[in-house]
Amino acid sequence: MPIESGSCASARQAKQKRKSHSLSIRRTNSSEQERAGLQRDMLEGQDSKLPSAIRNTLLELFGQIEREFENLYIENLELRREIDTLNERLAGEGQTIDGAELSKGQLKTKASHSTSQLSQKLKTTYKASTSKIVSSFKTTTSRAICQLVKEYVGHRDGIWDVSVAKTQPVVLGTASADHTALLWSIETGKCLVKYVGHVGSVNSIKFHPTEQVALTASGDQTAHIWRYIVQLPTPQPTADCNQVSGEDEVEISDKDEPDGDGDGSSDCPTVRVPLTSLKSHQGVVIAADWLVGGKQAVTASWDRTANLYDVETSELVHSLTGHDQELTHCCTHPTQRLVVTSSRDTTFRLWDFRDPSIHSVNVFQGHTDTVTSAVFTVGDNVVSGSDDRTVKVWDLKNMRSPIATIRTDSAVNRISVCVGQRIIALPHDNRQVRLFDMSGVRLARLPRSNRQGHRRMVCCSAWCEDHPICNLFTCGFDRQAIGWNINIPALLQEK
């Protein structure tokens, strides 16, 4: 029996490999051509209630995903081969350079550096190729879970703050640069009361915990406490505001902003004189809030101080000093005598008034730009937002470092926390509003298109967890406030 030489056997094996490789290429090309038709036939054969247009769109999206991951897989294999080649070359150089061997530590350093560069290239390619597809799914999900319910239009300038009453009847309050504060019916969007007692921009509004009394802070260097009486109108059927166009992002010119001149706020009851005026600051009063119980109020000012007042006598109880630059916000704990103040000096401070004889202060340092707000949550947590585009969650028992950090693409303004579900609403300079949980996981982004959403900077957010129609409110410098319905169970299920 004839025996093949080693060279003949090698040649035959190489020929068989080339033939097999050629056959596999032909099969791959034919499968690429048949795949789309096969998937479409399978989709059409399924019993589905989806319209054909949506089904075709889904098929195309899944096809794009498959192709992107195939490309990434191939590129990953090539990068791995490059890494192996580079490591072999570095090992060879280690034996020949200047006749001396490189140490294992030097080889590991070079190989690790090259590997990290290639890994970063792979990550960048993956993010760039899949972000558009993933965004399309996130947008669809957000629209189903977060729906615009009502727009509150009536101010003649930007709205700095929004708040919800804690007592019945539950009304919405807005504070505006037009020197007024307005109270609204949440259900109908009608203006119920206009407060015109300030002679400067109204920068914040907060409702008394048990009475129909509001606290407003102003650029006129004062904070006012004023009483209101409202009678809620009967809700009327409204047009559906939830239908949005297919475009997720549409640039809108200033001429498309709501016109405050033609609204009904001019014919609503007007309050002109406060019950009490708090006057101790030497600069703009940027924010104010009630301490638990409502017998004391705290104010934050651009004069770098926060003041604690007795509401009944209007007397100054404490002047809280220590910040190096202007204050931007203040907030009180819902059940304890604690106050947190934030500042342009990149810090926020916790003031403890639980012991009447002494008050202590703790300084939180973790941001690199203005801290725009810091708010309490249930338990021992504080959430802070900053112009450095981050939001940090802190444990009051361990102030050295945050327990979670959220990084965003735009400055963060006055945040709010849904206490029961521990969801943070982030209003941004770039007109977006995003929802995160306390561990820093992104849950949703409120939809914004050419028909709904804010058209300028979003200044503030406020939760109203128990309201059946709107449970989140936002306001912005486009002179409107918006009421949203957030399907929280669905939102958490998506998480």
Side-chain angles (χ1 to χ4, degrees):
M1 186 174 187
I3 299 176
E4 290 183 320
S5 66
S7 60
C8 292
S10 299
R12 179 172 295 181
Q13 290 176 359
K15 184 176 181 180
Q16 288 176 348
K17 286 183 179 180
R18 288 195 298 269
K19 183 177 179 180
S20 175
H21 181 65
S22 176
L23 181 60
S24 65
I25 291 176
R26 288 198 297 272
R27 286 177 179 173
T28 301
N29 291 337
S30 62
S31 61
E32 286 289 344
Q33 295 171 358
E34 295 173 0
R35 183 183 301 163
L38 181 60
Q39 290 177 343
R40 193 176 301 277
D41 292 340
M42 292 176 61
L43 188 62
E44 291 177 353
Q46 295 176 354
D47 184 15
S48 175
K49 296 181 181 180
L50 290 175
S52 59
I54 296 178
R55 296 171 68 189
N56 291 335
T57 302
L58 287 174
L59 180 61
E60 292 176 0
L61 288 173
F62 284 123
Q64 292 178 28
I65 293 174
E66 184 178 6
R67 288 192 294 272
E68 292 294 341
F69 276 99
E70 285 178 349
N71 294 334
L72 288 173
Y73 178 74
I74 294 171
E75 185 172 354
N76 190 21
L77 293 178
E78 294 176 353
L79 290 173
R80 288 181 182 275
R81 284 196 294 269
E82 291 182 19
I83 291 172
D84 294 338
T85 302
L86 181 61
N87 288 337
E88 293 175 0
R89 189 176 64 191
L90 289 174
E93 292 176 354
Q95 296 175 358
T96 59
I97 294 178
D98 295 332
E101 293 187 357
L102 292 174
S103 66
K104 290 184 178 180
Q106 289 173 312
L107 285 174
K108 286 183 178 180
T109 302
K110 286 191 175 183
S112 175
H113 177 68
S114 302
T115 302
S116 64
Q117 287 182 330
L118 293 172
S119 299
Q120 185 62 39
K121 178 181 178 182
L122 178 61
K123 291 178 182 178
T124 303
T125 304
Y126 170 78
K127 290 180 180 179
S129 59
T130 60
S131 59
K132 186 175 295 185
I133 298 173
V134 174
S135 295
S136 65
F137 285 105
K138 285 185 177 180
T139 300
T140 303
T141 302
S142 296
R143 287 174 178 170
I145 295 176
C146 312
Q147 296 183 342
L148 185 150
V149 177
K150 185 67 64 176
E151 294 177 337
Y152 306 89
V153 180
H155 283 289
R156 298 172 183 267
D157 207 336
I159 304 176
W160 294 119
D161 198 21
V162 62
S163 182
V164 182
K166 298 178 175 63
T167 59
Q168 295 293 335
V170 178
V171 295
L172 179 71
T174 53
S176 172
D178 65 6
H179 300 191
T180 70
L182 300 181
L183 306 187
W184 308 83
S185 165
I186 294 177
E187 294 79 5
T188 66
K190 180 181 179 181
C191 179
L192 304 175
V193 173
K194 176 190 288 188
Y195 180 70
V196 296
H198 287 291
V199 294
S201 170
V202 184
N203 300 319
S204 78
I205 180 170
K206 288 291 184 291
F207 290 95
H208 193 277
T210 59
E211 302 178 23
Q212 291 189 26
V213 175
L215 169 66
T216 50
S218 173
D220 61 13
Q221 303 184 6
T222 68
H224 287 182
I225 298 173
W226 46 278
R227 186 176 299 278
Y228 63 89
I229 300 176
V230 297
Q231 183 175 0
L232 296 180
T234 303
Q236 299 294 328
T238 57
D240 186 7
C241 297
N242 299 329
Q243 300 298 323
V244 297
S245 66
E247 296 294 330
D248 181 45
E249 295 291 336
V250 178
E251 293 297 329
I252 302 177
S253 63
D254 293 346
K255 67 181 180 181
D256 293 325
E257 293 179 13
D259 187 0
D261 296 340
D263 77 286
S265 64
S266 58
D267 57 3
C268 66
T270 300
V271 178
R272 301 182 183 277
V273 181
L275 295 175
T276 303
S277 181
L278 308 178
K279 305 176 181 178
S280 295
H281 286 293
Q282 303 301 314
V284 169
V285 182
I286 196 65
D289 202 357
W290 303 91
L291 263 72
V292 57
K295 294 183 179 181
Q296 291 182 322
V298 62
T299 58
S301 172
W302 283 4
D303 64 9
R304 305 183 182 184
T305 67
N307 287 341
L308 183 65
Y309 294 92
D310 181 279
V311 171
E312 184 177 355
T313 63
S314 302
E315 292 183 357
L316 178 64
V317 179
H318 289 293
S319 182
L320 312 179
T321 60
H323 282 291
D324 296 329
Q325 294 189 41
E326 295 92 334
L327 273 64
T328 57
H329 191 249
C330 65
C331 180
T332 60
H333 194 281
T335 60
Q336 303 182 62
R337 290 177 55 81
L338 298 173
V339 177
V340 63
T341 57
S342 53
S343 170
R344 290 185 60 191
D345 63 10
T346 74
T347 72
F348 66 95
R349 294 178 177 238
L350 174 68
W351 310 82
D352 190 345
F353 297 101
R354 288 175 291 187
D355 186 347
S357 61
I358 187 173
H359 67 272
S360 62
V361 58
N362 294 303
V363 182
F364 290 74
Q365 297 176 326
H367 290 286
T368 59
D369 205 339
T370 298
V371 181
T372 53
S373 64
V375 298
F376 289 100
T377 68
V378 170
D380 296 321
N381 294 126
V382 170
V383 183
S384 59
S386 171
D387 280 343
D388 65 8
R389 304 182 180 185
T390 67
V391 172
K392 297 178 184 288
V393 182
W394 306 79
D395 186 346
L396 297 182
K397 298 177 181 178
N398 181 14
M399 301 176 295
R400 294 183 179 179
S401 60
I403 59 178
T405 298
I406 301 170
R407 304 186 186 281
T408 70
D409 60 352
S410 179
V412 181
N413 296 312
R414 291 182 177 178
I415 60 178
S416 64
V417 178
C418 178
V419 176
Q421 302 297 335
R422 298 171 65 84
I423 300 175
I424 313 169
L426 278 58
H428 290 286
D429 275 2
N430 65 358
R431 302 172 289 175
Q432 302 288 354
V433 181
R434 296 183 175 94
L435 306 180
F436 287 80
D437 68 8
M438 294 286 289
S439 61
V441 176
R442 175 175 165 177
L443 302 177
R445 182 185 68 185
L446 301 192
R448 189 179 66 83
S449 70
N450 63 335
R451 293 184 58 189
Q452 66 174 236
H454 288 287
R455 299 169 176 85
R456 285 193 177 183
M457 174 180 70
V458 188
C459 300
C460 181
S461 61
W463 288 93
C464 182
E465 301 176 43
D466 299 327
H467 199 278
I469 298 177
C470 302
N471 54 4
L472 177 63
F473 298 91
T474 58
C475 65
F477 221 64
D478 54 1
R479 298 180 286 177
Q480 68 172 338
I482 297 178
W484 305 86
N485 180 270
I486 311 299
N487 188 338
I488 295 179
L491 188 69
L492 298 179
Q493 185 176 5
E494 285 290 334
K495 170 189 173 184

